[in-house]
Amino acid sequence: MTALTPLPSPNPLTEPYWQAAHQRQLKLPRCEACTKFHFYPRSACPHCGCRNLSWHAVSGNGEVYSYTVVYRAPSKSFAPEVPYVVAVVALDEGPHLMTRLTQIAPDDVRIGLRVTVDFRRMDDETTLPLFRRAGWSL
Ligand SMILES: [Zn+2]
């Protein structure tokens, strides 16, 4: 990714997520009533409706639930990245998270592949939580 890559714009609901990512931690909102995690961040628990939510670190481990391979860059900034894999990762804690997979050839990706979070610092304010094959690192 280049400096021209579009970056997230945190809002009050998502800011804790991005702040944690910049500290190389994956944190998700958890309901204090039913104790279930959820993602994406929202103002009430999608499981029970409770508004008493707090942020907690999660393992960063999960498996590929679904994925697609992007061969045609959606903009010039992504052109050096193609082909790349956009995946929905089912985290061990339950929530599903849309992300990109790194350090893996698209042909090696499979449903159920174990993955772990991997952080890519983009600038002084933004770090993206991406995922790579579990147990592998370069
Ligand atoms: Zn709940």
Side-chain angles (χ1 to χ4, degrees), residues 35-88:
T35 71
K36 292 180 181 174
F37 284 98
H38 62 271
F39 194 81
Y40 56 91
R42 53 198 107 177
S43 60
C45 173
H47 306 289
C48 74
C50 178
R51 292 183 176 274
N52 187 8
L53 309 172
S54 58
W55 288 81
H56 296 270
V58 294
S59 67
N61 298 319
E63 64 181 40
V64 173
Y65 177 82
S66 182
Y67 70 97
T68 190
V69 180
V70 177
Y71 290 97
R72 184 174 176 179
S75 68
K76 286 183 181 178
S77 61
F78 287 95
E81 302 287 325
V82 294
Y84 61 86
V85 179
V86 175
V88 175

Side-chain angles (χ1 to χ4, degrees), residues 125-136:
E125 298 178 355
T126 306
T127 299
L128 300 178
L130 308 177
F131 281 74
R132 61 175 166 78
R133 187 190 317 229
W136 287 53

